[in-house]
Amino acid sequence: MTLFVPLDDSTDIPNSPSFLQVSANPALKLQQTIATILKAKSIVVVCGAGISVKAGIPDFRSPEGLFQTLKRDNPKEVLASGKDLFDASVFHSENTTSLFYQMIARLSELSNAAEPTPFHNLLRALDERGKLLRVYSQNIDSLEQKSGLSFGVPPFQERRSKPRVPKSAPPENVASTSRLPTPPPEIPRCIPLHGTLQNVHCQICNQSFALSDHLEALEQGTPPACPECTAMEETRQLVGKRARGVGRLRPSVVLYNEAHKDGEGVGDVVRRDLLGLSNSKGKGRSAGADLLLVVGTSLRVQGTKRMVREFAKAVRARGGKDANASGSTRPSPSPGARSGTTEEEREPPIKTVYLNLDFPVPTREWEGVFDAWVQGDAQDFAEMLQAEIDKEVRAKQMADEKRRRKEQAKLSEGGPADGVQDQGGGKSNKKRKMSKETASKSKERPSAKRRKVVSAPRTKSTSTSSASVQKKIFLTVPPLSRSSLVPEVYITSERPLQSPITRLPLTPESTPPRPAPHTPHKSHSKKAKSKRVLKSLHTIPTHTPPSELTEDEDLTEDDVLPAFDTAALPSELAREGRYALRSSRSSSCSRG
């Protein structure tokens, strides 16, 4: 099925072809088709004479086309159609050859005076956006080059296999003067399929010359002589060699029933684009085409018809669909699809678009090739596409302007703009905020090998002899097992700052027994140390009344164990301490 998309809502639905699918909302389908073209990443365009009619150059097969006009202008000539002047047999008669040269001279004058149409400008806009892979033009007016596209056929580089070297042959000493391989030349954006009116070439030596240099002879209907052959003939006469003859120049346009002079180069470009091997450069330009747009051609030439079919299969295969024998691709219904889905939702994506006033005939040959037929003038459709492109450009400019004003407002407030460093080389506000959040997260997640130091909030000291601030330090010893209790020491008073630090010898009562001299394992050193601390604490005879431990919510009278006797220490080192136990599951391995 081919979706019928008229540019004018009042257009009657044509009876042919029979496989057209008519939508209940043509305006919506037109907008969807335009959006599909603008979203495509790599577009291949095949265009014909219909895109140049508005520039003043006639087409070929319309009632006012070139074929009918030539027949009316030459009633004395036996011309079944003006197509006879575009056949290779035109050179069989001097009369038809003269008519052919005169017609080429008039077309050359029209082409030189013509200006690119809106559709030519659309091609240039797509190329600037990096969405145009290639334009294959059947026209000979070269208006694509005037619009700004690179134009021409690259020279064909024949790929020859390297000579095989026998394994028994010794390696040759190759000099180190070898250079890197030369990259292939850039393929022009527009490829003329039927030649151009810019050049003429010799039928003998195949040398090309500018057509404008021989325009006067063409207007008279006289084939001009080849300058290269003329110079060679004069040289041969001077040295006494026999004459070979002088070739005649002919326009470098491809006629019916003759081979293309640069056919190998054109075929190589088509092959590379079909396989996605193109070396086209440009930002966002992909190698393989994902959309085919055929515009302004009736598709009567066999070579063009075959090329369009191959590109239609290629873009659908690149889109993830399998083409059947006729070239049509329709997705199979998913097993989980609901029966309530509308016909609009089940339509396949548009990959191939045909834009012309009439559908190509015979219609049966094109069933399943085109996903959508946009019926209307190519220039009107180009203006719609250009309007959408301009709208996107304005929206982008407005977004850039809004961002620029926002950055200027931040700079005027004294802070650096987003993504811009301040004058002192510091980070932006966004980066500073991220660094702070990262630091806070790292503090919340302590390392398992390190102990956390927790200090109580500072309060005013009750001591009259010192103005120092009282601190509350928590000391937690790692538990011996998960079920054991964790000893904690709370130091509630601080040593006077003015007192010198003195080291007192331990008394025999408080000296803990030293373990046997051995080197314990690293994993058991902390447990052994905690056992020694607990044993030394239990040897102190004095007790602290339980009433003094009610300040801490985590301690009870049943958890109180013997604590330090601060009276036995000098006043310079005397500090109040409390000792208790709590469960190891609720404790955090911290140290103060």
Side-chain angles (χ1 to χ4, degrees):
M1 300 296 290
T2 299
L3 181 64
F4 178 64
V5 184
L7 293 183
D8 189 1
D9 295 342
S10 60
T11 303
D12 296 334
I13 301 175
N15 297 327
S16 177
S18 59
F19 49 82
L20 283 183
Q21 179 183 357
V22 182
S23 175
N25 193 347
L28 178 61
K29 289 302 176 183
L30 179 60
Q31 293 297 326
Q32 291 179 355
T33 305
I34 293 175
T36 300
I37 296 176
L38 294 180
K39 290 180 181 179
K41 296 180 180 180
S42 187
I43 305 174
V44 168
V45 179
V46 179
C47 57
I51 68 172
S52 299
V53 173
K54 195 171 182 178
I57 301 174
D59 59 0
F60 291 93
R61 291 180 173 82
S62 66
E64 298 299 329
L66 194 59
F67 290 166
Q68 297 297 329
T69 304
L70 290 174
K71 183 179 180 179
R72 290 195 301 265
D73 293 346
N74 300 277
K76 297 181 181 181
E77 305 296 333
V78 183
L79 295 176
S81 172
K83 182 181 178 180
D84 296 341
L85 294 181
F86 286 90
D87 193 272
S89 61
V90 72
F91 298 108
H92 296 170
S93 169
E94 292 184 359
N95 191 21
T96 55
T97 301
S98 178
L99 291 177
F100 172 71
Y101 278 87
Q102 292 176 2
M103 177 196 64
I104 291 296
R106 291 196 300 268
L107 288 178
S108 177
E109 293 177 353
L110 292 175
S111 300
N112 293 333
E115 294 296 331
T117 64
F119 192 87
H120 292 94
N121 296 330
L122 173 66
L123 295 177
R124 182 192 61 195
L126 292 175
D127 184 38
E128 292 175 351
R129 292 167 60 89
K131 294 180 174 293
L132 187 63
L133 176 61
R134 199 79 59 216
V135 176
Y136 292 96
S137 177
Q138 294 180 280
N139 301 329
I140 58 177
D141 48 37
S142 304
L143 289 181
E144 295 87 0
Q145 187 177 19
K146 282 187 176 182
S147 66
L149 297 178
S150 55
F151 187 84
V153 179
F156 176 68
Q157 296 180 350
E158 187 177 359
R159 295 172 297 276
R160 297 179 180 178
S161 59
K162 297 181 180 180
R164 296 183 178 180
V165 180
K167 296 182 180 180
S168 59
E172 299 180 357
N173 295 328
V174 182
S176 60
T177 58
S178 60
R179 298 180 179 178
L180 294 176
T182 304
E186 176 70 15
I187 300 178
R189 193 65 60 208
C190 181
I191 305 296
L193 297 176
H194 298 162
T196 67
L197 292 171
Q198 294 178 339
N199 301 323
V200 292
H201 67 276
C202 178
Q203 294 175 311
I204 295 179
C205 67
N206 207 29
Q207 291 290 329
S208 296
F209 306 92
L211 186 144
S212 57
D213 297 339
H214 305 276
L215 187 60
E216 184 177 356
L218 295 178
E219 291 175 349
Q220 296 175 1
T222 303
C226 174
E228 187 71 18
C229 291
T230 302
M232 181 63 66
E233 190 68 18
E234 293 176 354
T235 304
R236 294 180 66 85
Q237 291 178 0
L238 289 175
V239 297
K241 292 185 177 182
R242 64 182 180 86
R244 287 187 174 181
V246 177
R248 297 293 176 177
L249 299 180
R250 56 153 292 180
S252 298
V253 295
V254 183
L255 303 179
Y256 291 102
N257 300 318
E258 76 170 353
H260 197 304
K261 182 174 73 74
D262 300 322
E264 291 181 343
V266 174
D268 186 58
V269 176
V270 173
R271 181 189 64 84
R272 294 175 66 87
D273 287 346
L274 286 173
L275 298 178
L277 303 176
S278 175
N279 62 339
S280 298
K281 298 179 181 179
K283 183 179 180 181
R285 203 188 309 272
S286 58
D290 60 353
L291 189 137
L292 173 65
L293 179 61
V294 183
V295 187
T297 175
S298 57
L299 296 176
R300 298 288 183 90
V301 181
Q302 292 298 326
T304 307
K305 291 169 63 175
R306 183 169 58 253
M307 183 180 64
V308 168
R309 290 179 179 276
E310 293 299 326
F311 270 112
K313 293 178 181 179
V315 296
R316 284 170 175 158
R318 194 164 287 112
K321 293 182 174 57
D322 297 329
N324 55 19
S326 63
S328 62
T329 56
R330 289 293 179 263
S332 58
S334 58
R338 296 176 298 176
S339 60
T341 55
T342 62
E343 187 69 23
E344 306 292 336
E345 296 175 353
R346 292 195 299 265
E347 290 179 358
I350 296 176
K351 292 290 184 178
T352 56
V353 179
Y354 180 73
L355 171 60
N356 204 13
L357 293 172
D358 302 317
F359 200 79
V361 293
T363 58
R364 64 179 180 276
E365 295 183 357
W366 302 103
E367 183 176 2
V369 176
F370 298 111
D371 296 329
W373 170 30
V374 180
Q375 185 192 41
D377 186 73
Q379 310 305 328
D380 297 339
F381 188 71
E383 291 176 355
M384 294 179 182
L385 280 172
Q386 189 65 49
E388 294 296 328
I389 292 176
D390 295 341
K391 187 184 300 183
E392 291 183 1
V393 171
R394 288 194 299 269
K396 185 177 180 181
Q397 291 177 353
M398 292 178 62
D400 294 341
E401 182 66 19
K402 185 177 180 180
R403 183 168 56 253
R404 186 182 62 83
R405 291 180 180 178
K406 186 177 180 180
E407 292 176 356
Q408 289 181 353
K410 289 186 177 181
L411 290 175
S412 61
E413 292 176 358
D418 293 342
V420 181
Q421 293 186 350
D422 53 11
Q423 297 179 356
K427 297 181 180 179
S428 62
N429 293 337
K430 184 181 295 185
K431 293 183 178 180
R432 290 176 179 174
K433 185 177 180 180
M434 293 176 61
S435 63
K436 290 181 179 179
E437 293 177 356
T438 305
S440 61
K441 291 181 179 180
S442 63
K443 290 182 179 179
E444 294 175 359
R445 293 177 293 183
S447 175
K449 297 182 180 180
R450 296 185 178 181
R451 297 182 179 181
K452 186 176 179 182
V453 178
V454 182
S455 59
R458 297 182 178 181
T459 57
K460 292 185 178 181
S461 177
T462 56
S463 176
T464 57
S465 62
S466 174
S468 61
V469 181
Q470 182 178 356
K471 296 181 180 180
K472 190 174 183 180
I473 303 175
F474 297 88
L475 174 62
T476 303
V477 180
L480 299 179
S481 63
R482 293 185 178 181
S483 60
S484 62
L485 299 179
V486 180
E488 291 185 350
V489 177
Y490 302 88
I491 300 176
T492 58
S493 64
E494 188 172 355
R495 175 183 55 81
L497 298 178
Q498 297 179 356
S499 301
I501 299 176
T502 58
R503 184 180 299 274
L504 298 179
L506 295 175
T507 61
E509 297 179 352
S510 61
T511 302
R514 295 185 180 182
H518 70 281
T519 305
H521 193 269
K522 186 176 181 181
S523 59
H524 301 288
S525 60
K526 295 182 179 180
K527 295 181 179 180
K529 188 175 181 180
S530 61
K531 288 181 179 180
R532 293 196 301 270
V533 172
L534 288 174
K535 190 173 182 179
S536 63
L537 292 177
H538 281 281
T539 58
I540 301 176
T542 56
H543 296 272
T544 303
S547 59
E548 297 183 5
L549 302 177
T550 56
E551 298 179 2
D552 197 341
E553 298 178 357
D554 297 335
L555 302 178
T556 60
E557 294 182 0
D558 298 334
D559 298 329
V560 177
L561 290 178
F564 289 103
D565 186 5
T566 57
L569 298 176
S571 60
E572 292 84 3
L573 300 179
R575 302 178 68 180
E576 296 180 4
R578 300 174 184 174
Y579 176 76
L581 297 177
R582 62 186 177 92
S583 175
S584 62
R585 296 181 181 178
S586 61
S587 63
S588 60
C589 295
S590 58
R591 183 178 179 181

